Amino acid sequence: MLQDIDNQIYNLIQKESKRQIEGIELIASENYVSKAVLEAMGSILTNKYSEGYSGKRYYRGNEYIDQIEDIAIERAKELFKVDHVNVQPYSGSPANFAVHLAFLNPGDKTMGMALDAGGHLTHGFKVSVSGKYFDSVSYGVDENGYINYDEVRKLALDHKPKLIWAGFSAYSRIIDWKEFRKIADEVNAILVADIAHVAGLIVAGEYPSPVPYADIVTTTTHKTLRGPRGAMIMCRKPYAEAIDKAVFPGSQGGPHNHTTAAIAVALKEAGTEEFKQYSKQVVLNAKKLSEELIKKGYYIVSGGTDNHLMLVDTIKSVKLSGKEVSNALEKANITLNKNTVPNDSRKPWDPSGVRIGTPAITSRGMKESDMEKIAYFINTVLENIENNSLIEKIKGEVKDFTKRFPVPGIN
Ligand code: DSN
């Protein structure tokens, strides 16, 4: 047993488990997986090498791995209604890199949402390979925090990118996938939708699907989809070969078969009525939490949310940076991440806001009335940021509060 062989690591896992139980997890990209997903993830499938694809492997002994990968692919095809799925990307960033590799040569143009507007590093940010090896152009959001499709169109027409990315890490509104399709057609670009954040909501019908409009759809599997840390690339048939080649051998080696099996399990769970209800509640909770924070005088970018997350401009709200806010809340067992806000004058390491998400707390069974309590905890800590004994008292209240909500996969 791990406890006997490596007590040091065992103890740290126990401590992390306690931290997950006793805290309020508001990081918008995190979630708690089921025991079934954990079991597949921690299985002997990690022992096997399987470079290649089902029926076309470079190593022998892949009879069962092929079946597992086929099941994961079929489940994803059915849930997302797509022609082709690659379930091998190790995570979101390698998946997005593979898309660039599939269609662009170094120096070619790629276009995505700016990081400070809510986009992702891998959509062309200058320190990522997507911005270093490719010529990247970024679009932002308007003064109300919404994507301005006229600006996107103008940039596309001016720069003629080969790839246009639609998708985000910190945008709380609905994306007009159809409008992106029109823009991509006007400049003959390939449209890539990155649905990492909202994949689970899409499956449950709580967020519009880009599948009718996008050529390629990438997603991680561990956020609202509530699976293991991994990713998938879905695409229309004509792009399938280029995508598969870009993943293997283009940018990866052997697939992580234990992850593939856990993705298959998560996709099965995502097809259930329980998951639909869960996803509905994720959005209801996010709306309620943003309303409660607004009532307390907080400034939410774009004035609210249509999905599972919101961005709070903490400088405007409480005259504290995102770093100060996230550090203070952590002392009270409330975890979230500092985040840039649109047109941020501060740097990502110490930006003007924080991002808040409801997928993890909803997996613990929290409902709208619990959002009132969470807004109260957040506000009390931030109004008393110098008062360590009060923050310690709130930490105690947070621990008591979380006892009512078991963590899937743990207790
Ligand atoms: N780190 C993920 C997030 O928090 O949104 C994206 O890569």
Side-chain angles (χ1 to χ4, degrees):
M1 300 298 283
L2 177 61
Q3 188 170 13
D4 307 318
I5 290 170
D6 191 339
N7 197 250
Q8 220 179 346
I9 292 296
Y10 174 84
N11 282 334
L12 287 170
I13 294 175
Q14 296 312 305
K15 283 183 181 163
E16 170 60 13
S17 168
K18 187 166 178 296
R19 190 196 68 80
Q20 292 189 13
I21 292 169
E22 292 182 348
I24 297 175
E25 181 52 74
L26 296 176
I27 294 177
S29 48
E30 294 189 10
N31 214 330
Y32 302 108
V33 299
S34 68
K35 280 211 161 75
V37 167
L38 283 176
E39 200 177 323
M41 190 70 190
S43 69
I44 47 79
L45 298 172
T46 194
N47 296 341
K48 188 75 195 105
Y49 255 124
S50 330
E51 284 96 331
Y53 292 100
S54 183
K56 292 172 284 184
R57 306 281 185 185
Y58 284 80
Y59 294 40
R60 303 310 306 164
N62 276 301
E63 179 185 355
Y64 305 113
I65 299 298
D66 278 3
Q67 292 178 51
I68 288 167
E69 194 168 312
D70 289 345
I71 290 171
I73 289 169
E74 284 313 309
R75 286 182 183 163
K77 278 164 101 171
E78 200 178 317
L79 273 186
F80 289 93
K81 313 268 179 282
V82 285
D83 294 345
H84 180 79
V85 185
N86 187 310
V87 293
Q88 295 190 7
Y90 298 145
S91 204
S93 301
N96 289 351
F97 177 64
V99 174
H100 276 114
L101 185 68
F103 304 110
L104 266 51
N105 289 314
D108 282 350
K109 283 221 163 77
T110 187
M111 182 169 122
M113 195 182 205
L115 192 66
D116 72 349
H120 193 250
L121 282 169
T122 57
H123 298 181
F125 191 57
K126 53 187 180 307
V127 298
S128 125
V129 69
S130 62
K132 278 188 135 164
Y133 288 10
F134 307 104
D135 185 7
S136 74
V137 185
S138 308
Y139 55 88
V141 289
D142 64 19
E143 63 282 8
N144 298 316
Y146 284 76
I147 293 173
N148 174 349
Y149 294 91
D150 292 336
E151 186 212 349
V152 178
R153 173 172 282 104
K154 184 172 178 329
L155 279 173
L157 288 167
D158 286 351
H159 295 275
K160 302 266 182 330
K162 278 194 177 171
L163 285 186
I164 296 181
W165 292 80
F168 55 84
S169 266
Y171 183 68
S172 63
R173 296 304 183 180
I174 301 286
I175 289 206
D176 187 344
W177 305 115
K178 193 173 176 183
E179 195 58 27
F180 266 107
R181 175 76 263 163
K182 282 193 209 154
I183 295 168
D185 284 343
E186 285 169 36
V187 296
N188 209 14
I190 292 175
L191 178 61
V192 193
D194 180 342
I195 60 165
H197 265 265
V198 286
L201 304 183
I202 288 172
V203 163
E206 292 295 320
Y207 196 89
S209 171
V211 169
Y213 306 106
D215 300 298
I216 316 286
V217 177
T218 67
T219 185
T220 52
T221 47
H222 48 273
K223 299 186 174 96
T224 49
L225 199 54
R226 218 161 56 179
R229 231 149 247 289
M232 305 191 291
I233 306 176
M234 304 177 261
C235 65
R236 296 183 173 167
K237 269 227 164 61
Y239 300 103
E241 196 182 334
I243 288 293
D244 284 353
K245 278 189 176 153
V247 173
F248 175 83
S251 55
Q252 293 194 171
H256 293 176
N257 299 310
H258 53 305
T259 304
T260 307
I263 289 175
V265 175
L267 291 171
K268 183 168 188 186
E269 292 175 348
T272 60
E273 185 54 36
E274 185 275 331
F275 190 82
K276 262 205 177 85
Q277 291 310 320
Y278 157 70
S279 303
K280 202 184 196 66
Q281 193 63 48
V282 167
V283 179
L284 290 174
N285 284 350
K287 283 186 191 293
K288 178 70 177 171
L289 186 52
S290 86
E291 283 162 19
E292 287 301 311
L293 289 170
I294 289 168
K295 269 196 227 159
K296 293 186 189 312
Y298 286 77
Y299 179 87
I300 309 283
V301 173
S302 87
T305 179
D306 299 323
N307 57 28
H308 62 299
L309 68 82
M310 70 211 73
L311 261 183
V312 186
D313 186 322
T314 54
I315 295 278
K316 277 192 191 163
S317 305
V318 284
K319 298 196 173 59
L320 295 168
S321 72
K323 189 171 164 186
E324 289 168 317
V325 165
S326 56
N327 288 351
L329 290 172
E330 189 172 23
K331 290 188 198 155
N333 280 18
I334 299 170
T335 322
L336 43 67
N337 64 283
K338 58 191 177 202
N339 215 99
T340 47
V341 297
N343 305 313
D344 209 325
S345 54
R346 306 170 68 98
K347 294 271 176 280
W349 184 245
D350 189 14
S352 301
V354 294
R355 186 183 62 169
I356 298 182
T358 53
I361 52 174
T362 309
S363 287
R364 295 185 75 162
M366 293 185 196
K367 298 266 177 7
E368 284 100 316
S369 57
D370 304 308
M371 300 306 112
E372 290 174 24
K373 192 86 186 165
I374 292 176
Y376 155 78
F377 288 141
I378 292 175
N379 188 45
T380 309
V381 170
L382 299 183
E383 279 189 341
N384 298 281
I385 197 155
E386 310 283 357
N387 187 342
N388 282 330
S389 63
L390 183 70
I391 294 180
E392 196 54 34
K393 183 172 162 279
I394 295 292
K395 179 178 175 171
E397 287 181 31
V398 166
K399 277 193 193 174
D400 279 348
F401 171 74
T402 56
K403 280 190 189 129
R404 289 175 25 220
F405 305 99
V407 177
I410 305 184
N411 59 14

